[in-house]
Amino acid sequence: MRSGKSMKAEAVEAEALLPAPNAGSGRANSSRIVGTSVHASVANEIGQRIVRGDYPPGAILPNEAKWAETFEVSRSAVREAIKMLMAKSLLSSRPKVGSWVEPRERWNLLDRDVLTWYATSPNRETFLKSVQEFRHIIEPEATALAALRRTDEQMAEISAACREMGAATSLPQRTQADTRFHLAILRASGNELLVPLGTLIESALAHLFVFVTREADDLRHAQGLHEAIEKAIRLHRPEAARNAVRKLLANTDEVIARV
Amino acid sequence: MRSGKSMKAEAVEAEALLPAPNAGSGRANSSRIVGTSVHASVANEIGQRIVRGDYPPGAILPNEAKWAETFEVSRSAVREAIKMLMAKSLLSSRPKVGSWVEPRERWNLLDRDVLTWYATSPNRETFLKSVQEFRHIIEPEATALAALRRTDEQMAEISAACREMGAATSLPQRTQADTRFHLAILRASGNELLVPLGTLIESALAHLFVFVTREADDLRHAQGLHEAIEKAIRLHRPEAARNAVRKLLANTDEVIARV
DNA sequence: TCATATGATTTGTAGGACAATTGTTGACTC
DNA sequence: GAGTCAACAATTGTCCTACAAATCATATGA
């Protein structure tokens, strides 16, 4: 309706940015998430499609005008969305050629959004495995570092989160405290590169753990493992901390294997 | 010159996107890197300033019109640049408020560009230390995984890179082979999250190692350490691989300490 | 004192125009 | 027939203007 030039008789076939089209025959663009901007929605939609594999690496994407038409937004909005995906190295572009999907290796996999898209894509089981294995590499060492270098303030935060976990009455509440616990440890590790990594891991797991329902018995056991980690850090025992984390991860592996 | 509205008598004071202003009094925008787009240059410039600390977290940035004026580019270009920085979580924006710098913890530190900006910022020594420590966490385990899971093709690539390193006659050539070697190992680890991480580490180190000049004796020693790693992977010895990598990292630590 | 309107500022979106780049095609020459 | 070069066309890049939407600040009134 707003594209002035190519308003031919052909069916427009605009895709909604969200699966909830408005019933009325009114304005077509009102079907996007309220509170999010158009360019963000478009970036989300295109990014998800790329990660999902709709456009394999090397493939040329539809041009900007085409995207504008399919989403019924302006070319400016499309361009801003594409720039966001460029910033994540999901695609590049050149005049006359168009935009193409970059090879997987150049993707910024360690990015919140890309990770989220990945976590909802078909091959999320292998992804979950990668994340969990990644934790085995990172977390024992990070926790050992935390045991060596934590300040008293950082320790207080870790302990508080641990206590909060034990006192949690609902699952989301517990998950939140759990996340806080692990992030506090990474912060205490004193390596600024570990913090963003932890954020990513936690966010990925949050996406993937919604399915896992734990039993009360299981929760009690996990709580004990967490407390062992807290204690090791508190007593400045790096080796004990490392081992405690390994036990916790082994427990998580088991839980995952059961699903 | 192209801003039609606010061409008052006041000094415009446009900042060049690059420190090489053209001597002539001609067009002002010709001072950017040839071959790079305007929005990319602007994103680079603003991103660098943020990471450098010109605008601390929480600070409100100049508004889009102001950036357009200072760089003598259109508001559209500025917006695209800002969208790229948004995609890296360096800033957010809301109407009427403006754009503000996000807290450091939300920055996408594990991003090529952000890392590059970081590597050129004042506090790069601490950054180098973090990266190197990060390697100590990642690489031994990744290499052990590679020793377990490598395919023959991956092994061939690793061996080729190792040989190439030994045969290199110039320093850049050697560095390139070195990078190829480490990346091949990460690819062979079979964890898709490790590859982008390795790319980042290597790119960060490339920025930081330009200063380090190594002596012939030193190089021979380092080559031996690399070959030990190659051998351990070839023979499927994860524990030996881990230890060999630790030795190499210790050697690198020494080199860094000497600077 | 509190709620409410209104006003101003900034980003968000749209749409049109042209420039720059470069792949493609076709003509021309050797 | 092969190769070279020029013209063309398609696509992104850049700029511009206008308005919409959001929201903070201020003033106004109950």
Side-chain angles (χ1 to χ4, degrees):
Chain A
M1 51 178 26
R2 57 170 60 77
S3 71
K5 63 176 175 186
S6 65
M7 211 49 192
K8 308 172 195 170
E10 64 190 25
V12 182
E13 246 188 304
E15 309 177 27
L17 286 175
L18 264 193
N22 47 345
S25 60
R27 314 250 306 289
N29 69 341
S30 58
S31 58
R32 69 168 201 267
I33 309 175
V34 291
T36 61
S37 43
V38 170
H39 61 255
S41 304
V42 173
N44 209 61
E45 192 44 47
I46 300 180
Q48 205 158 356
R49 293 187 191 189
I50 291 175
V51 173
R52 192 203 299 153
D54 286 9
Y55 305 97
I60 301 285
L61 295 173
N63 64 34
E64 297 173 351
K66 190 77 187 169
W67 284 124
E69 194 185 328
T70 53
F71 291 138
E72 284 192 319
V73 301
S74 73
R75 199 184 142 211
S76 318
V78 170
R79 278 187 63 78
E80 289 178 4
I82 285 183
K83 289 295 162 293
M84 300 186 79
L85 300 179
M86 276 179 161
K88 299 179 192 303
S89 292
L90 256 63
L91 52 84
S92 294
S93 58
R94 289 225 307 269
K96 165 70 183 175
V97 179
S99 302
W100 63 89
V101 178
E102 287 274 333
R104 266 277 228 350
E105 301 197 357
R106 302 210 44 195
W107 290 5
N108 203 339
L109 255 190
L110 306 163
D111 173 283
R112 269 184 218 85
D113 301 318
V114 178
L115 224 54
T116 302
W117 298 330
Y118 227 90
T120 59
S121 81
N123 46 358
R124 73 188 116 134
E125 305 85 35
T126 54
F127 180 66
L128 170 56
K129 265 178 59 184
S130 292
V131 172
Q132 185 61 17
E133 183 175 277
F134 201 66
R135 295 184 68 191
H136 277 276
I137 298 176
I138 297 287
E139 298 195 359
E141 296 308 312
T143 312
L145 284 178
L148 285 173
R149 316 211 267 228
R150 83 204 178 40
T151 66
D152 288 348
E153 289 82 28
Q154 289 164 340
M155 190 66 234
E157 167 71 5
I158 294 171
S159 303
C162 188
R163 238 175 301 124
E164 202 176 298
M165 260 185 81
T169 54
S170 71
L171 192 65
Q173 196 180 352
R174 212 194 111 91
T175 311
Q176 195 183 350
D178 195 343
T179 302
R180 201 178 136 203
F181 179 73
H182 286 283
L183 284 182
I185 291 177
L186 291 178
R187 253 192 301 274
S189 75
N191 188 310
E192 56 189 341
L193 291 176
L194 285 173
V195 181
L197 214 48
T199 313
L200 294 176
I201 292 174
E202 300 298 335
S203 113
L205 290 181
H207 277 282
L208 297 163
F209 267 170
V210 280
F211 312 108
V212 181
T213 59
R214 303 179 138 200
E215 298 165 19
D217 205 40
D218 202 22
L219 283 180
R220 236 187 332 272
H221 184 214
Q223 180 65 24
L225 295 173
H226 279 83
E227 279 163 10
I229 295 172
E230 188 267 351
K231 187 176 174 188
I233 298 175
R234 181 154 39 81
L235 300 179
H236 292 292
R237 299 269 159 76
E239 195 54 45
R242 214 189 319 257
N243 289 329
V245 171
R246 290 205 175 115
K247 269 186 197 157
L248 176 61
L249 287 172
N251 175 258
T252 309
D253 285 345
E254 240 179 72
V255 173
I256 292 176
R258 279 210 297 269
V259 185
Chain B
M1 56 174 13
R2 59 170 57 77
S3 69
K5 64 177 177 187
S6 66
M7 213 49 193
K8 306 171 195 169
E10 65 190 24
V12 181
E13 248 188 300
E15 309 177 27
L17 285 175
L18 265 194
N22 48 345
S25 60
R27 315 247 309 287
N29 70 340
S30 58
S31 59
R32 70 170 199 266
I33 309 176
V34 290
T36 62
S37 44
V38 171
H39 60 255
S41 303
V42 173
N44 209 60
E45 193 40 50
I46 300 179
Q48 204 158 355
R49 292 188 190 189
I50 291 176
V51 173
R52 191 202 300 152
D54 287 8
Y55 306 96
I60 301 285
L61 295 173
N63 64 34
E64 296 173 351
K66 190 76 187 169
W67 284 123
E69 194 184 331
T70 52
F71 291 136
E72 284 191 320
V73 300
S74 73
R75 200 186 139 211
S76 316
V78 171
R79 278 186 63 79
E80 289 179 3
I82 286 184
K83 288 295 162 294
M84 299 186 81
L85 299 178
M86 275 180 164
K88 300 178 190 304
S89 292
L90 257 62
L91 50 83
S92 295
S93 58
R94 291 225 305 269
K96 164 71 183 173
V97 179
S99 302
W100 62 89
V101 179
E102 287 275 329
R104 265 274 221 353
E105 301 197 355
R106 301 209 45 195
W107 290 3
N108 203 339
L109 254 192
L110 305 162
D111 173 281
R112 269 183 217 88
D113 301 319
V114 178
L115 224 53
T116 302
W117 298 330
Y118 227 90
T120 59
S121 81
N123 46 358
R124 74 188 115 134
E125 303 85 35
T126 54
F127 179 66
L128 170 57
K129 266 178 58 185
S130 292
V131 172
Q132 186 61 16
E133 183 174 278
F134 202 65
R135 296 184 69 190
H136 277 275
I137 298 176
I138 297 287
E139 298 197 358
E141 297 308 312
T143 311
L145 283 178
L148 285 174
R149 313 211 270 228
R150 87 213 177 31
T151 65
D152 288 347
E153 289 82 28
Q154 288 164 341
M155 190 66 235
E157 167 73 5
I158 294 171
S159 302
C162 189
R163 237 174 304 127
E164 201 176 300
M165 260 185 82
T169 53
S170 71
L171 193 64
Q173 196 181 352
R174 211 194 112 90
T175 311
Q176 195 184 349
D178 194 343
T179 302
R180 200 178 137 204
F181 179 73
H182 286 284
L183 284 182
I185 291 177
L186 291 177
R187 252 192 301 274
S189 76
N191 188 311
E192 57 189 341
L193 290 175
L194 285 174
V195 180
L197 213 49
T199 313
L200 293 175
I201 292 175
E202 299 299 334
S203 110
L205 290 181
H207 277 281
L208 297 164
F209 267 170
V210 281
F211 312 109
V212 181
T213 60
R214 301 178 143 202
E215 299 166 19
D217 205 39
D218 203 21
L219 283 181
R220 239 187 330 269
H221 184 212
Q223 181 64 26
L225 295 173
H226 279 83
E227 279 162 10
I229 295 172
E230 190 266 350
K231 186 177 174 187
I233 298 176
R234 180 153 41 82
L235 301 179
H236 292 294
R237 299 270 160 75
E239 195 54 45
R242 214 189 319 259
N243 288 328
V245 171
R246 290 207 176 112
K247 269 186 196 155
L248 176 62
L249 287 173
N251 175 259
T252 310
D253 285 345
E254 241 179 71
V255 173
I256 292 176
R258 279 210 297 270
V259 185

